[in-house]
Amino acid sequence: MPYIGKGPIDRSLGLNEKNVFTGDGSSVAFDITSEAPSENALQVFVDNVRQEPGTGKAYVLAQDGSSERIRITFSTAPASGAVIWTNNRLRTQITNT
């Protein structure tokens, strides 16, 4: 069926990178492999529960010693044995079809 207006957008996510950590009950800082463009491009899960980024929330994304934004710092240390995993959307690409 024809339509009037601009065509639909073909949206595809580019590269994704997964990191997995295990909580020890005392560590609050974990370094992901590649720099995240922003907190919104990074998904963090603790025991499969998504965590909310931002100051005063579950975690913040900050620079490590080499000034790359790869350090996740939790406001409270994840429990011992907790599985922490991240999905870093390194690049998002949106193209018109």
Side-chain angles (χ1 to χ4, degrees):
M1 171 180 262
Y3 59 90
I4 298 173
K6 193 173 185 178
I9 294 176
D10 176 23
R11 180 175 212 176
S12 64
L13 296 178
L15 301 173
N16 288 305
E17 181 177 76
K18 182 178 180 179
N19 288 271
V20 180
F21 310 100
T22 303
D24 63 7
S26 62
S27 297
V28 294
F30 299 88
D31 290 350
I32 57 177
T33 308
S34 298
E35 186 171 20
S38 71
E39 286 179 337
N40 294 329
L42 184 67
Q43 298 173 327
V44 177
F45 298 84
V46 176
D47 285 337
N48 289 326
V49 177
R50 187 167 179 183
Q51 305 298 302
E52 186 175 11
T55 304
K57 303 203 174 147
Y59 73 93
V60 293
L61 178 64
Q63 294 179 343
D64 68 342
S66 66
S67 73
E68 291 184 332
R69 294 174 50 89
I70 63 170
R71 180 153 296 152
I72 298 168
T73 304
F74 288 96
S75 56
T76 304
S80 181
V83 177
I84 304 154
W85 65 277
T86 66
N87 182 30
N88 184 0
R89 295 179 287 177
L90 301 173
R91 178 180 64 198
T92 302
Q93 178 180 8
I94 300 175
T95 56
N96 287 330
T97 56

